Amino acid sequence: IGISSYQRLQRFNAIENNPLVSSYINYLGNLLSRNLLDNKRRYNFFVVDSSQINAFAIPGGFIGLNSGLILLTENEAQLASVVAHEISHIKLRHTAEMIANSRRNNIPIWIGIFAGIFSGSPQASIAALQTGFGISAQQNINLIRSNEVEADTLGFQILDNANFDATEMSKLFELMQSAKGDVQKNLAYLSTHPMFEERISNTENRLKNSKGQLLNSSDDYFYIKNILEVSQVIDINEAINQLDDKDPLSRHKLSLLYQKKSDFKKSIDVLGNKRNNITDNIYHAIAYIDGLLGLGKIEEAIGIVNNLINLKPLNKILPLKLAEIYVDHKKGTLNIIENIKMHGDFFRLNPNYHRVMSKLYMDVNRKYESSIHLANYYVLMDNSRLAIDVLDNSSKSSQITGSDREKLLDKKIELICRHNRPLEPIFGEKTCN
């Protein structure tokens, strides 16, 4: 259910795959989840490109946050309180409990429910949760009520142990309840996470034992908000007129706004290479590089990325940026592949990573590896049929060795049995066990 819901959202381009955004939200999520000392579960955090204010936890450790909710928060502690709450739902197996209480365990319907919640259309999803599974609405309401209180309790502990100011959890509740106008209209979170007086009261009572930590609003939090805010801007000129370039955050946002209107020269001028040392700020550096690419200054952009990789050898985003430049503007090399390959596990759920790797391997005539990554790309984009076709066609290529052909066919059978299981004979040889 978890991976299928994630794939469906990727298919409709609903997930924000910007590596800066996904890297930050996974860092924040892992910072919180490690306090559970839960080595049996791997959490995957992602941002949904939706102005609806919502978040939800999907079985399998998948936690999504709509960009609208991130933009509503006023500091990192408020955002962390939502993430901690969703981690708690998964740790306490609340969704599994709701599925278990259903008389009909219809997996496709559950996938549709979670996809609806994430894409900012929770009403139909909640209606299905309450009436579509042979469980009475009141039973489900009672279950949701108890689950929310439990998730608040554990979420509060997770937040406090991660040294975030737990008072911000209560403040975020108040912020949502007092919301008006367009904010209130987009508050899908209150549909999926009903507010009860008991919850707010309990949260305030727990504050008495809180460590009273700092807000922990890192620079990353504000830069990520810049990226998400600009992605939702409609009137670019008005947004530009409301900003000045007196501080690094404002300059970064202005640069992104100018890029959105394809004024790449102003985008670079605002950042100012001399005034703002881009080697010290990954967000400014990526914006500056994108500005150079917009102006067609490919070699200069490559030079800056290579310099930054030498200065920051552990950074995972820079090798992907370099690989993207080579895929879009030059031919890939084995050195480029090796630079990004070492970060494959980090990007395993990012379809753009697999698209780039497939093209890089094709550039160096590595048909087998290229086919594997292209198949992984299509799987993540919820198109298993195309993934199977890629593996089938590649297995017939003269460029493939015998052992690699067997691996491709094995992966093809794996995908068939997982996604397109055929009708099997009662007796005789079967494709799938």
Side-chain angles (χ1 to χ4, degrees):
I1 291 176
I3 187 63
S4 295
S5 300
Y6 179 84
Q7 289 167 341
R8 175 169 292 191
L9 290 170
Q10 287 285 11
R11 178 182 181 182
F12 293 106
N13 297 315
I15 292 180
E16 178 59 73
N17 288 311
N18 184 324
L20 289 169
V21 175
S22 57
S23 178
Y24 168 74
I25 204 64
N26 274 281
Y27 169 78
L28 180 61
N30 291 329
L31 180 67
L32 293 161
S33 64
R34 69 181 181 183
N35 287 288
L36 293 172
L37 301 178
D38 185 2
N39 295 324
K40 296 180 181 179
R41 182 175 284 105
R42 184 172 190 170
Y43 293 89
N44 299 286
F45 305 90
F46 58 96
V47 174
V48 178
D49 184 15
S50 171
S51 60
Q52 292 282 341
I53 298 165
N54 205 10
F56 211 78
I58 306 179
F62 289 85
I63 292 175
L65 299 102
N66 284 8
S67 55
L69 184 143
I70 297 174
L71 295 178
L72 176 70
T73 60
E74 298 173 326
N75 53 60
E76 195 167 51
Q78 289 183 1
L79 176 57
S81 71
V82 176
V83 178
H85 180 91
E86 300 307 328
I87 290 171
S88 300
H89 276 308
I90 289 179
K91 176 62 177 176
L92 297 169
R93 297 182 59 78
H94 286 155
T95 309
E97 181 182 7
M98 192 165 293
I99 294 174
N101 274 280
S102 307
R103 293 191 197 132
R104 290 188 297 140
N105 193 358
N106 192 325
I107 300 301
I109 291 180
W110 279 103
I111 293 170
I113 284 172
F114 288 116
I117 288 171
F118 277 121
S119 62
S121 305
Q123 285 73 21
S125 299
I126 295 304
L129 280 172
Q130 292 182 345
T131 61
F133 294 92
I135 181 173
S136 74
Q138 189 56 50
Q139 278 180 293
N140 238 332
I141 289 170
N142 291 340
L143 195 58
I144 291 172
R145 179 183 291 270
S146 63
N147 285 351
E148 290 304 316
V149 173
E150 287 180 0
D152 285 345
T153 302
L154 180 56
F156 187 93
Q157 295 173 12
I158 293 172
L159 195 65
D160 211 34
N161 289 339
N163 295 327
F164 284 102
D165 185 352
T167 62
E168 294 303 313
M169 177 182 281
S170 180
K171 289 181 181 178
L172 183 60
F173 285 164
E174 294 171 1
L175 186 63
M176 289 182 181
Q177 287 196 315
S178 63
K180 297 178 181 178
D182 289 339
V183 175
Q184 177 63 40
K185 184 174 64 178
N186 284 332
L187 261 171
Y189 192 87
L190 296 185
S191 298
T192 57
H193 299 71
M195 292 294 175
F196 312 111
E197 291 300 326
E198 177 187 2
R199 289 182 66 195
I200 298 173
S201 176
N202 287 344
T203 301
E204 291 175 349
N205 287 335
R206 292 187 199 105
L207 294 175
K208 299 173 183 176
N209 299 318
S210 172
K211 299 174 185 176
Q213 302 293 346
L214 300 176
L215 296 181
N216 284 24
S217 286
S218 64
D219 286 344
D220 297 274
Y221 166 80
F222 293 109
Y223 279 109
I224 293 304
K225 285 190 72 172
N226 271 357
I227 293 171
L228 298 178
E229 283 174 1
V230 169
S231 72
Q232 294 188 11
V233 165
I234 297 175
D235 191 333
I236 304 174
N237 290 327
E238 181 184 358
I240 289 173
N241 291 335
Q242 291 177 352
L243 287 171
D244 55 42
D245 62 351
K246 293 181 180 178
D247 61 84
L249 271 169
S250 296
R251 288 195 288 273
H252 174 253
K253 191 171 184 179
L254 274 172
S255 177
L256 297 182
L257 286 166
Y258 280 123
Q259 284 184 24
K260 191 164 184 174
K261 63 182 296 186
S262 299
D263 192 340
F264 298 105
K265 186 177 186 307
K266 278 193 176 180
S267 171
I268 289 177
D269 291 343
V270 164
L271 289 174
N273 198 10
K274 295 179 180 178
R275 178 176 54 179
N276 230 7
N277 191 346
I278 60 173
T279 60
D280 295 330
N281 188 311
I282 185 65
Y283 301 98
H284 284 227
I286 295 297
Y288 193 86
I289 291 162
D290 286 339
L292 290 174
L293 294 173
L295 292 173
K297 298 183 177 182
I298 312 303
E299 295 301 329
E300 187 176 347
I302 289 174
I304 290 177
V305 178
N306 278 321
N307 182 49
L308 288 170
I309 289 175
N310 290 331
L311 292 172
K312 306 174 187 294
L314 299 180
N315 187 284
K316 300 177 180 66
I317 294 171
L318 292 167
L320 179 58
K321 191 66 182 178
L322 185 63
E324 289 173 339
I325 295 173
Y326 270 83
V327 161
D328 293 338
H329 302 282
K330 299 169 75 71
K331 280 181 68 71
T333 67
L334 285 174
N335 185 49
I336 297 297
I337 291 173
E338 290 304 314
N339 279 345
I340 186 175
K341 183 180 175 182
M342 68 179 69
H343 304 301
D345 186 58
F346 181 78
F347 291 116
R348 74 192 187 286
L349 292 177
N350 187 328
N352 190 48
Y353 164 77
H354 293 287
R355 178 190 66 82
V356 167
M357 289 298 284
S358 177
K359 289 187 176 182
L360 289 175
Y361 275 117
M362 187 61 71
D363 284 346
V364 295
N365 298 314
R366 298 274 286 269
K367 179 76 172 177
Y368 167 73
E369 291 91 342
S370 177
S371 301
I372 290 292
H373 280 286
L374 186 57
N376 287 339
Y377 168 79
Y378 283 125
V379 167
L380 283 175
M381 297 303 290
D382 198 29
N383 196 335
S384 59
R385 189 173 297 279
L386 265 180
I388 291 168
D389 286 346
V390 166
L391 297 170
D392 187 50
N393 292 333
S394 298
S395 68
K396 299 172 184 175
S397 171
S398 59
Q399 297 176 266
I400 300 294
T401 65
S403 60
D404 285 344
R405 181 172 293 105
E406 288 183 15
K407 294 176 187 175
L408 290 173
L409 292 175
D410 285 345
K411 188 171 179 66
K412 172 188 166 184
I413 296 299
E414 177 191 336
L415 291 181
I416 288 174
C417 294
R418 189 193 311 164
H419 299 282
N420 293 299
R421 182 178 288 269
L423 289 172
E424 302 283 13
I426 297 174
F427 304 103
E429 190 173 341
K430 294 180 173 63
T431 306
C432 304
N433 295 326

